[in-house]
Amino acid sequence: MQLGIIGGTGTEGRGIAMRLAAAGVPVILGSRSLDRAASAVAAILASAGTLPIEAATNGDAIERADVVVLSVPFECVGAVLDAHRFRFRQASLVIDVTVPLVFAGGTPSLAPVAEGSAAEFVRARLAGAVRLAATFKTIPASTLGRLDAPLDCDEFVCGDSIEARDAAVALLARIPTLRPLDAGGLDAARTLERMTALAITLNKRYKARAARFRVVGLPPL
Amino acid sequence: MQLGIIGGTGTEGRGIAMRLAAAGVPVILGSRSLDRAASAVAAILASAGTLPIEAATNGDAIERADVVVLSVPFECVGAVLDAHRFRFRQASLVIDVTVPLVFAGGTPSLAPVAEGSAAEFVRARLAGAVRLAATFKTIPASTLGRLDAPLDCDEFVCGDSIEARDAAVALLARIPTLRPLDAGGLDAARTLERMTALAITLNKRYKARAARFRVVGLPPL
């Protein structure tokens, strides 16, 4: 399996690249600029040691990947998908990790999205043969990037099909100290994206930086 | 402090009554019918031993309580508030625990509420001098009622003012094994009510009955 990350130079993209590469997944870290992708990869390797991460343009990353993580700021998602719509492989899996956060006076909330959530916005702009899951919505980006710190939490996965969810769950299950949970259909992203804002609110309220979620009461999975 | 529970004969109302009474809070368990309230109280005392719980009509419970827990099915909330609107004490605190759940083919989702959430629906129907918090949205009702089982989770509190949230947080903090968290303004209920549906989805997916939430990454409170 080859994983590509679109918008891989941001904090979230780098963190996902590091966690998955450290779990043995080959990662292509994409950026609009190949130079910036290469700099980000060099910085990751300098800090984390040898990991299977290489740099590419976003377009190349999409064309070469079986699984494409969409990790650009939400306000760029539409333009990125428009530009690269025909580069996705037929049966590829897209993983949306975007959250349409806005801050008013320091308080986070969600920008209204006509489709109901960022994930549903993405679904409406992908070819039908491309499957879509949404995850990595509720773990802080900075926490993902600290490879030495265990995640010790759950991460929710939703998707447009059982196949998409199972594939994303299996991918996340490769990351030690993280338990992926199948949260159902893509409209569950409406909940997960709100939970991002909730976690940020809790961080501010309790002077923390890494609030994230664990579900209590499930049997051993 | 005197606590009243409107709709106290339901699973959720009984569970809240038991947990708070066991923590030493005097509870008036209200129902439309005094007889049904009395039966519910008798059943609780028979199973849990001596607890400071007494029965009343909903109207009497509202008139006598400083803190009123609103625990009727969401579709009845409007009618109950219309009927009792003038019985609330001036500076009383109302705690909304309702969730506008609907099930389609066994899948839970939220009924659309014009105000944005059940809590905001309640706010629009209370007198201005009455404060409102929302909580007990994400712990399963049946879990609340099993006094011998530790809750071992967090419960989110939101409210229309810092005072309302602080009062609700202080109330919940009396329950052992439960950590209340201040989730901010009343619009956070839009998130918390969705999280109820998420917990039910996880219960079904993983054949569990008591999925609930814990926030990881906060400093000791």
Side-chain angles (χ1 to χ4, degrees):
Chain A
M1 187 237 290
Q2 178 67 62
L3 188 115
I5 302 186
I6 309 314
T9 59
T11 308
E12 176 94 4
R14 278 183 284 127
I16 294 170
M18 290 168 74
R19 292 281 175 180
L20 288 173
V25 179
V27 172
I28 305 171
L29 189 147
S31 169
R32 274 179 302 172
S33 144
L34 180 59
D35 281 353
R36 284 197 297 148
S39 297
V41 171
I44 290 173
L45 300 185
S47 78
T50 306
L51 290 175
I53 308 181
E54 59 178 305
T57 61
N58 283 333
D60 284 347
I62 291 171
E63 288 180 352
R64 291 175 52 201
D66 313 298
V67 178
V68 178
V69 175
L70 195 57
S71 181
V72 294
F74 176 70
E75 53 275 25
C76 308
V77 169
V80 166
L81 291 178
D82 284 351
H84 298 294
R85 180 180 161 82
F86 299 107
R87 290 202 168 95
F88 288 91
R89 295 185 173 199
Q90 267 272 325
S92 63
L93 172 68
V94 172
I95 296 182
D96 166 52
V97 307
T98 65
V99 179
L101 280 176
V102 290
F103 291 84
T107 302
S109 65
L110 292 189
V113 176
E115 289 80 0
S117 64
E120 290 160 290
F121 176 94
V122 170
R123 178 65 273 174
R125 283 156 183 82
L126 288 175
V130 173
R131 294 168 304 150
L132 177 64
T135 189
F136 284 125
K137 301 244 174 190
T138 62
I139 298 182
S142 60
T143 305
L144 285 170
R146 287 200 300 275
L147 268 191
D148 52 336
L151 294 172
D152 281 346
C153 66
D154 295 333
E155 180 52 59
F156 306 95
V157 173
C158 65
D160 62 9
S161 58
I162 294 172
E163 293 72 24
R165 299 199 294 271
D166 284 352
V169 163
L171 181 67
L172 267 63
R174 298 179 65 157
I175 301 175
T177 74
L178 181 66
R179 180 175 69 166
L181 293 176
D182 176 356
L186 209 59
D187 60 342
R190 300 175 188 194
T191 306
L192 306 184
E193 293 168 17
R194 287 190 173 281
M195 289 170 74
T196 310
L198 173 60
I200 295 169
T201 298
L202 294 171
N203 278 337
K204 292 172 67 82
R205 173 67 178 79
Y206 295 106
K207 303 192 190 334
R209 306 184 71 174
R212 54 204 190 275
F213 298 93
R214 168 75 81 186
V215 176
V216 178
L218 299 183
L221 304 187
Chain B
M1 188 237 289
Q2 178 67 62
L3 188 115
I5 302 186
I6 309 312
T9 58
T11 308
E12 176 95 3
R14 278 183 285 127
I16 294 170
M18 290 167 74
R19 292 282 175 180
L20 288 173
V25 178
V27 172
I28 304 172
L29 189 148
S31 171
R32 274 178 301 170
S33 145
L34 180 58
D35 280 354
R36 284 197 298 147
S39 297
V41 170
I44 290 172
L45 300 185
S47 78
T50 305
L51 290 175
I53 307 182
E54 59 178 304
T57 61
N58 283 333
D60 285 348
I62 292 172
E63 287 180 352
R64 291 175 52 200
D66 313 299
V67 179
V68 178
V69 175
L70 195 57
S71 180
V72 294
F74 176 71
E75 54 273 27
C76 308
V77 168
V80 166
L81 291 177
D82 285 349
H84 298 296
R85 180 179 161 83
F86 299 108
R87 289 203 169 94
F88 289 90
R89 297 185 172 198
Q90 268 272 325
S92 61
L93 171 67
V94 172
I95 296 182
D96 166 52
V97 307
T98 65
V99 179
L101 280 177
V102 290
F103 290 85
T107 302
S109 65
L110 293 189
V113 176
E115 290 80 359
S117 63
E120 291 160 288
F121 175 94
V122 170
R123 178 64 273 173
R125 283 156 183 82
L126 287 175
V130 173
R131 294 168 304 149
L132 179 63
T135 188
F136 284 126
K137 301 244 174 190
T138 62
I139 298 182
S142 59
T143 305
L144 286 170
R146 287 200 300 275
L147 268 191
D148 52 337
L151 294 172
D152 280 346
C153 66
D154 296 334
E155 180 51 58
F156 305 96
V157 173
C158 65
D160 61 10
S161 58
I162 293 172
E163 293 73 23
R165 299 200 293 270
D166 283 351
V169 163
L171 181 68
L172 266 63
R174 298 179 65 156
I175 301 175
T177 74
L178 181 66
R179 180 174 71 166
L181 293 176
D182 177 356
L186 210 58
D187 59 344
R190 300 176 189 194
T191 306
L192 306 184
E193 293 168 18
R194 287 189 173 282
M195 289 171 73
T196 310
L198 173 60
I200 295 170
T201 298
L202 293 171
N203 278 336
K204 292 172 68 80
R205 173 67 178 78
Y206 295 107
K207 303 191 190 336
R209 306 184 69 173
R212 55 205 190 273
F213 298 94
R214 168 75 81 188
V215 176
V216 179
L218 299 183
L221 305 186

